[in-house]
């Protein structure tokens, strides 16, 4: 809009002073920055990340010619173009096939970008070790220093953001290797902002004109020259030089989406949600109404659940509460509640946050220790366009075949991962990739679950432990 107004003024089709059309575009941007638009993940790519030696393309863009379950398709209009994204995806595959590596790659990418460098992170609390110790990322069978690549495409605040980078991290477990960012690209609304490939190049910045730092136009040449001469091999330009000298506002929008809207839970079984309260009172119990209502539906062994503040950092831990005992009682929830209940209570606030604020919730082993009917209800909430008005997305991997249902998921929402027995490389594909015609075609009215178990779609492994036990039994007492 800014570029068009400026051009029309230049060729005298309209007569507006410079400050007037700049004022108009400020109002335009202010509206979108305040009212947002749909925040949705469209695509994530990675290459040479652990078992994904070849490029992984995890897409939430609806496949062509897929019909039905329209509630699963989200739409965002940016400029004159409509972008569509799926609101959910479920990932299937045998153990050690690479399902968790997809989610781990997302978590690693997010971690690297937010800290702005390809150096190791000193914080070892993340259960995804590859997010902090980057020498764990490269495929362990590679004999060369093949680059590790990441790319993401998403919408936020009325913008289409495409960002990618590749890095030379050395070989697997090569700790002291001199790492280097090889390439880096940022596009906004399909317009190239900058590209880094050895050197640094800029295209037109008109697309982000109102997001540039103050007085950028007067200092543009100097900023560009300074940026080109001060690239750091181990740092991402986006989160460093570009943020400082070009657009802290744009980087803040991207960082905010990654930090708050791209909720990646790696190893959900090890997740422990810690509450923090402002101005907490020690030895006080905080009971959250919504959480207790959900926990009651799910099933708890105590009268209620609450958070008790303990320590100097305002952190609160989950306790089981008993109202009918003398003076009441509270004990740590992990000592009394089931493991499934604890997992549900830790997970449910993230579901609530996604539904209330929009965003993409990606969960590894979402269904572990949680009853399928509870999960089915959560999935239906994401699929309910009267409740999911902020267009939240849910992605998870599972072994439970109950979700292989044409009435629940579209074919392009059902994903598979399998691992080659010889190369041990992982391969990812969707049910929609089979098409609908021919011998291998998949039609909407087919029994997806039955076909999966008879190996129509791959991503399943025949396991027989009988020979092991036959050998053990033949040894007798030697076992």
């Amino acid at each position: 809009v800014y570029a068009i107004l400026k051009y029309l003024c230049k060729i005298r089709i309209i007569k507006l002073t410079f400050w007037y059309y700049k004022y108009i575009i400020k109002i335009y941007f202010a509206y979108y920055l305040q009212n947002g638009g749909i925040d949705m993940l469209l695509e994530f790519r990675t290459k040479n990340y652990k078992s994904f030696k070849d490029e992984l393309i995890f897409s939430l863009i609806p496949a062509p010619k897929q019909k039905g379950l329209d509630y699963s398709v989200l739409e965002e209009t940016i400029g004159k173009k409509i972008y569509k994204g799926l609101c959910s995806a479920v990932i299937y595959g045998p153990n050690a096939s690479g399902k968790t590596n997809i989610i781990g790659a997302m978590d690693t990418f997010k971690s690297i970008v937010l800290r702005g460098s390809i150096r190791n992170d000193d914080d070892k609390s993340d259960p995804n070790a590859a997010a902090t110790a980057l020498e764990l990322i490269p495929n362990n069978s590679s004999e060369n220093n093949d680059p590790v690549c990441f790319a993401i495409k998403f919408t936020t605040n009325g913008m289409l953001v495409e960002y990618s980078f590749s890095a030379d991290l050395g070989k697997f477990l090569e700790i002291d290797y001199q790492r280097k960012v090889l390439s880096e690209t940022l596009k906004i609304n399909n317009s190239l902002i900058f590209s880094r490939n050895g050197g640094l190049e800029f295209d037109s910045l008109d697309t982000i004109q109102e997001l540039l730092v103050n007085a950028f136009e007067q200092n543009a040449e100097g900023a560009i020259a300074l940026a080109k001469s001060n690239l750091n091999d181990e740092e991402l330009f986006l989160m460093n030089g570009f943020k400082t000298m070009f657009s802290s506002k744009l980087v803040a929008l991207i960082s905010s989406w990654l930090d708050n809207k791209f909720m990646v839970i790696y190893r959900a079984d090890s997740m422990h949600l810690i509450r923090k309260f402002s101005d907490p009172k020690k030895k006080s119990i905080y009971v959250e109404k919504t959480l207790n209502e959900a926990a009651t539906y799910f099933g708890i062994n105590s009268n209620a659940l609450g958070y008790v503040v303990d320590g100097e950092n305002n952190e609160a831990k989950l306790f089981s509460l008993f109202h009918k005992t003398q003076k009441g009682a509270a004990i740590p929830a992990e000592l009394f509640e089931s493991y499934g209940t604890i997992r549900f209570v830790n997970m449910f606030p993230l579901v609530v946050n996604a539904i209330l604020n929009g965003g993409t919730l990606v969960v590894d082993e979402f269904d572990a220790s949680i009853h399928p009917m509870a999960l089915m209800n959560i999935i239906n909430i994401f699929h309910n366009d009267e409740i999911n008005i902020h267009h939240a997305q849910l992605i998870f991997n599972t072994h439970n075949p109950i979700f292989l249902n044409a009435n629940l998921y579209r074919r392009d929402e059902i994903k598979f991962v399998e691992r080659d027995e010889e190369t041990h490389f992982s391969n990812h594909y969707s049910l929609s990739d089979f098409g609908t015609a021919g011998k291998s075609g998949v039609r909407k009215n087919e029994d997806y679950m039955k076909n999966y178990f008879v190996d129509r779609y791959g991503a399943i492994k025949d396991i027989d432990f009988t020979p092991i036990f036959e050998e053990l039994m033949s040894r007798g007492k030697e076992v």
Side-chain angles (χ1 to χ4, degrees), residues 149-168:
C149 306
F150 294 102
I152 198 165
K153 181 189 294 186
F154 62 94
T155 65
T156 185
N157 292 89
M159 297 186 304
L160 174 68
V161 180
E162 298 174 80
Y163 176 68
S164 64
F165 73 87
S166 66
D168 179 4

Side-chain angles (χ1 to χ4, degrees), residues 270-283:
S270 64
M271 188 186 72
H272 175 61
L273 196 64
I274 298 176
R275 283 284 194 276
K276 287 192 176 183
F277 298 94
S278 59
D279 192 25
K281 296 179 180 179
K282 291 184 179 180
K283 298 184 179 179

Side-chain angles (χ1 to χ4, degrees), residues 32 143 237 276 311-312 321:
Y32 271 100
E143 297 180 358
F237 175 65
K276 287 192 176 183
E312 301 296 330
L321 310 179

Side-chain angles (χ1 to χ4, degrees), residues 367-434:
D367 59 340
S369 303
I370 298 180
H371 196 279
M373 294 307 295
L375 292 171
M376 191 74 75
N377 184 257
I378 290 175
I379 292 168
N380 286 332
I381 287 173
F382 278 85
H383 288 173
N384 188 330
D385 51 16
E386 293 182 358
I387 296 178
N388 189 13
I389 60 175
H390 297 294
H391 309 291
Q393 296 171 296
L394 175 65
I395 302 167
F396 67 96
N397 56 21
T398 184
H399 293 287
N400 194 330
I402 193 174
F403 309 116
L404 286 167
N405 188 327
N407 295 317
L408 186 64
Y409 281 107
R410 293 161 48 104
R411 281 164 291 179
D412 48 7
E413 293 180 297
I414 299 175
K415 315 288 188 179
F416 297 105
V417 181
E418 64 179 4
R419 199 168 183 175
D420 187 275
E421 293 293 336
E422 295 183 4
T423 65
H424 301 291
F425 297 162
S426 294
N427 180 38
H428 160 72
Y429 52 96
S430 298
L431 189 58
S432 59
D433 291 338
F434 288 86

Side-chain angles (χ1 to χ4, degrees), residues 8 46 57 65 80 100-102 118 184 217 323 338 342 355 413 451 462 469:
L8 292 176
T46 190
I57 304 175
K65 300 181 181 180
K80 294 184 178 181
T100 296
N101 285 346
I102 294 178
I118 54 174
E184 191 177 358
E217 289 184 355
H323 302 320
S338 72
I342 299 295
I355 294 296
E413 293 180 297
N451 289 344
D462 185 22
F469 284 94

